[in-house]
Amino acid sequence: MTGKKKRTIILAIAAVLLALVVWTVWGNTALELNTYTVGSKELPDAFDGYRIAHVSDLHNAEMGDGNEKLLAVLREADPDIIAITGDLIDSRNTNIEVALAFAEKAMKIAPCYYVTGNHEARASEYDALKTGLIKLGVTVLENEKTEVEREGEKITLIGVKDPSFSS
């Protein structure tokens, strides 16, 4: 193999690796708002137009200073509740303060409901996170259910503790 061909192959491999790193970083910090309309005859009429914001897999990411970009998107979505579904923290780089600061600000937008993810199961700080969330008024659902009421009608929210806690 000639020296020029070898350099070309090395540069191509380096370009692919750089693209993968950029894509991974973007994928872990990208902010995306998707809106879905769900209809069911089983839902009470009072919940017509009910808005649920779903936040998942933050992994301690901060989108803007103090998560302000994410919080702005949540405010714009104008949810009735916010469902935080797992991996609020990252078990390899856990920062309870970032997670709790986000939850505190999110609670000012709408009531928050939280279920665990596999990163919480692996983090020794999970009990402190759970205690902090409860103190903030976040409803933590671990193999539990709760009812949400609107105009005298109710729906049930069920939270399952991540199976990683039992392994």
Side-chain angles (χ1 to χ4, degrees):
M1 182 180 306
T2 67
K4 186 175 182 180
K5 190 173 184 180
K6 190 175 183 179
R7 280 192 301 272
T8 303
I9 290 172
I10 290 171
L11 286 174
I13 291 170
V16 168
L17 289 175
L18 179 61
L20 284 172
V21 168
V22 169
W23 179 78
T24 300
V25 169
W26 175 83
N28 286 332
T29 58
L31 186 56
E32 185 175 320
L33 174 64
N34 296 300
T35 304
Y36 301 95
T37 301
V38 177
S40 172
K41 291 182 259 180
E42 302 298 318
L43 285 172
D45 290 340
F47 286 87
D48 186 35
Y50 196 76
R51 299 174 66 84
I52 301 172
H54 177 216
V55 177
S56 186
D57 294 281
L58 285 179
H59 293 273
N60 276 135
E62 286 188 273
M63 296 168 195
D65 187 35
N67 262 317
E68 191 49 45
K69 288 181 182 178
L70 174 56
L71 293 160
V73 169
L74 287 172
R75 283 185 209 96
E76 180 184 331
D78 192 28
D80 293 290
I81 64 170
I82 299 171
I84 305 169
T85 57
D87 296 348
L88 181 58
I89 58 173
D90 190 299
S91 61
R92 293 177 299 267
N93 187 22
T94 304
N95 188 330
I96 301 295
E97 290 75 28
V98 168
L100 293 177
F102 166 74
E104 181 176 21
K105 293 172 186 170
M107 282 291 294
K108 292 177 181 172
I109 298 168
C112 295
Y113 296 83
Y114 171 80
V115 296
T116 58
N118 63 313
H119 279 260
E120 283 84 3
R122 294 192 304 243
S124 60
E125 299 90 344
Y126 173 65
D127 288 337
L129 174 65
K130 179 181 175 182
T131 299
L133 290 170
I134 291 169
K135 283 182 181 176
L136 292 171
V138 174
T139 301
V140 176
L141 296 171
E142 293 181 335
N143 301 329
E144 299 169 297
K145 65 180 181 177
T146 190
E147 290 184 331
V148 176
E149 186 174 333
R150 183 175 182 174
E151 298 172 13
E153 297 187 285
K154 297 177 184 177
I155 59 171
T156 301
L157 301 179
I158 300 171
V160 178
K161 192 173 188 177
D162 191 276
S164 299
F165 276 91
S166 61
S167 51

